[in-house]
Amino acid sequence: MLLGKKRKLGRKIEDMATGEKLKLTENIEDKDLLLYLGLTNDGNPLYIQHDFASQTKFEKPVVPTAMLTGIITSAVSKYLPGPGSYITEQHLKFKKPVFHYATVDFLLEVTEVNVPANEVTVRVEATDENGEMVLEGILVANPPQVLSKLTTEAMDNF
């Protein structure tokens, strides 16, 4: 059963090179936060209650770090390597909170291409509108890899 139309896959490992970069800018709006919080059922008052957040060291509501991770995951799925890719490992350090209505610039850079393992290592950095680093880290992703042909043996499982 197919859901939706068939989509073009991202680039194969052979088509990727060290030094490739992707830059993107995300504006964190109320609609995005509410959608994330609704989908995850995350009612942390630090994310949504101004009166609570004003009593913390942050002084105002912060963007959930998992939401920032989702932006990175989406960038890998859409662009680098693209549709059909899969993240197998990630290490992110959240250096500074991101607040509601922030503009965050993300930079993803391929630092290693491992053809035999079908893996690319990507360095990730994000800065806020003041140019301050809000997160940094690395991730490892498998670019799309499709079996070249189906055999009757592969079809025996159906």
Side-chain angles (χ1 to χ4, degrees), residues 62-73:
V62 300
V63 174
T65 55
M67 187 173 165
L68 300 171
T69 302
I71 293 169
I72 294 166
T73 301

Side-chain angles (χ1 to χ4, degrees), residues 91-152:
H91 304 275
L92 299 174
K93 182 173 183 175
F94 299 93
K95 302 183 70 78
K96 164 175 198 258
V98 173
F99 298 103
H100 293 206
Y101 313 111
T103 299
V104 182
D105 292 315
F106 292 85
L107 174 64
L108 287 76
E109 179 179 3
V110 176
T111 58
E112 183 181 345
V113 177
N114 184 337
V115 175
N118 193 52
E119 291 182 337
V120 292
T121 302
V122 179
R123 182 176 55 86
V124 181
E125 294 180 355
T127 55
D128 63 14
E129 57 273 353
N130 298 320
E132 295 182 41
M133 182 85 61
V134 295
L135 76 82
E136 65 181 353
I138 63 149
L139 62 86
V140 177
N142 297 125
Q145 189 176 37
V146 179
L147 298 174
S148 58
K149 61 182 176 179
L150 290 176
T151 65
T152 56

Side-chain angles (χ1 to χ4, degrees), residues 10-29:
R11 290 180 297 138
K12 296 178 181 175
I13 190 79
E14 298 85 7
D15 300 329
M16 301 204 62
T18 300
E20 288 184 45
K21 293 180 183 177
L22 170 68
K23 293 181 182 181
L24 61 106
T25 300
E26 290 287 333
N27 297 309
I28 310 295
E29 302 290 337

Side-chain angles (χ1 to χ4, degrees), residues 48-106:
I48 53 178
Q49 292 180 4
H50 290 267
D51 57 340
F52 174 80
S54 70
Q55 300 171 45
T56 70
K57 70 177 184 174
F58 302 109
E59 299 179 351
K60 52 188 175 182
V62 300
V63 174
T65 55
M67 187 173 165
L68 300 171
T69 302
I71 293 169
I72 294 166
T73 301
S74 177
V76 170
S77 294
K78 289 191 229 178
Y79 309 112
L80 191 66
S85 58
Y86 182 76
I87 295 173
T88 58
E89 183 179 340
Q90 67 183 17
H91 304 275
L92 299 174
K93 182 173 183 175
F94 299 93
K95 302 183 70 78
K96 164 175 198 258
V98 173
F99 298 103
H100 293 206
Y101 313 111
T103 299
V104 182
D105 292 315
F106 292 85

